[in-house]
Structure formats: structure tokens, C-alpha cells
Amino acid sequence: MNGNQQMFMREAVRLSQLSLQDGKGGPFGCVIVKDNKIIGRGNNQVTSSNDPTAHAEVMAIRDACRQLGTFQLEGCEVYTSCEPCPMCLGAIYWARPARVYYANTRKDAADIGFDDDFIYKEIEIPVLQRSIPFERMDTKEAKEVFATWQNKKDRIDY
């Protein structure tokens, strides 16, 4: 890693320490960088906000998108203190940054009680066999909404 990359990762780690010190959530931090400048910051705030989606990466993505005035992070880099969980991985792919750098691994997180492996396994299990039951309800109205979207001339694809 070059000097700037190390600086950005240190900031992500500093934010993870901040979560720990402030008691806002788990020890995770993230920054998003564009053109060598931090444009988004986030630290885990799950327990303080009663929001299970308030992970560091999601918070940083929200912040960066607000700063850029867009819903995608093309040309950006994500620096996160830990390998992203499945939810954050999905959010990162939807945001479409150019690259992700991480410090601690999934195994490191599992070793301190943040084991996401069961979610990775659930994704591979057939829907009807998952630990949380999923049941499809086929409705005409839902299909109509999709058809309207498909034919919408002024839609913004993402």
C-alpha cells in the first residue's frame, strides 16, 4: 500500500475504535475515497441506533452518496476495517465503487463474535429450507408494478 492508502485505512481503523469507545456499536469503521479525498465516513452504530443495517460500510456509502449527490460510487475506493459482511458486500456492489480495501478478515471477525458465515451458507440453501421461512406470494398487482417500471420512459436505471 502507498502512503495515502495507509492513511485512508488508518482513518477507517480510527472510526472502528471510535465505535468501540463511544459504545455506539461494533468495532467497525469505513471511509470512501474519491480523487484521493475522503468523501464518506461511517462507523458501526447498530446498537445505538437500533438499526441492524447501520454497519460502517452502509453508513459510509450513505454519507458519500449524499456528498456526491448520486446513488453510485463510480471511481471511488472503499477502505474498511474489516472484510464486509454479506449485507455490506451487497451494498458495495450496488454502489459500484472501483475497489475495496479491508484490514481484518471474516475469520478475525468471527473469532470475536461477529460470525457471518451462517448468512453466506443461507444464501446457497434453497429458499424453502432456510432458517427464516421465505414464502412467495404471486400477485397480479406486483406484476403490474414491474410492467409499469419496464415501460416507464423516464426511469433512472441503476
Side-chain angles (χ1 to χ4, degrees):
M1 278 203 291
N2 68 36
N4 283 341
Q5 291 171 319
Q6 290 176 351
M7 177 185 66
F8 297 139
M9 184 57 77
R10 278 195 300 272
E11 178 62 7
V13 172
R14 185 189 74 78
L15 290 170
S16 72
Q17 179 68 29
L18 188 63
S19 283
L20 191 64
Q21 287 174 304
D22 293 350
K24 292 193 176 224
F28 304 97
C30 181
V31 297
I32 298 178
V33 174
K34 183 164 186 151
D35 299 327
N36 235 16
K37 179 181 175 212
I38 294 175
I39 57 157
R41 288 180 167 81
N43 59 327
N44 187 287
Q45 297 178 30
V46 168
T47 57
S48 61
S49 66
N50 293 321
D51 180 354
T53 69
H55 288 201
E57 295 89 342
V58 171
M59 302 301 283
I61 288 168
R62 291 173 181 166
D63 186 34
C65 287
R66 271 192 303 274
Q67 298 299 322
L68 293 175
T70 183
F71 53 85
Q72 294 192 333
L73 299 176
E74 293 173 356
C76 294
E77 296 176 334
V78 176
Y79 292 81
T80 183
S81 65
C82 186
E83 185 177 355
C85 75
M87 178 185 70
C88 293
L89 185 62
I92 288 166
Y93 273 94
W94 278 113
R96 295 178 173 86
R99 183 176 298 264
V100 176
Y101 298 95
Y102 64 93
N104 292 316
T105 67
R106 290 169 32 182
K107 184 181 178 327
D108 295 331
D111 289 347
I112 63 164
F114 294 94
D115 190 357
D116 299 326
D117 197 45
F118 78 96
I119 299 171
Y120 285 101
K121 289 177 182 172
E122 283 282 305
I123 292 167
E124 298 298 320
I125 296 173
V127 174
L128 296 176
Q129 297 174 15
R130 292 181 181 163
S131 62
I132 297 175
F134 281 69
E135 185 174 339
R136 182 170 182 261
M137 295 178 65
D138 191 14
T139 69
K140 177 183 171 193
E141 297 87 357
K143 292 217 184 298
E144 288 172 357
V145 172
F146 272 23
T148 301
W149 171 261
Q150 188 174 20
N151 296 318
K152 187 174 171 54
K153 301 289 184 227
D154 62 343
R155 74 178 188 220
I156 300 172
D157 292 323
Y158 60 96

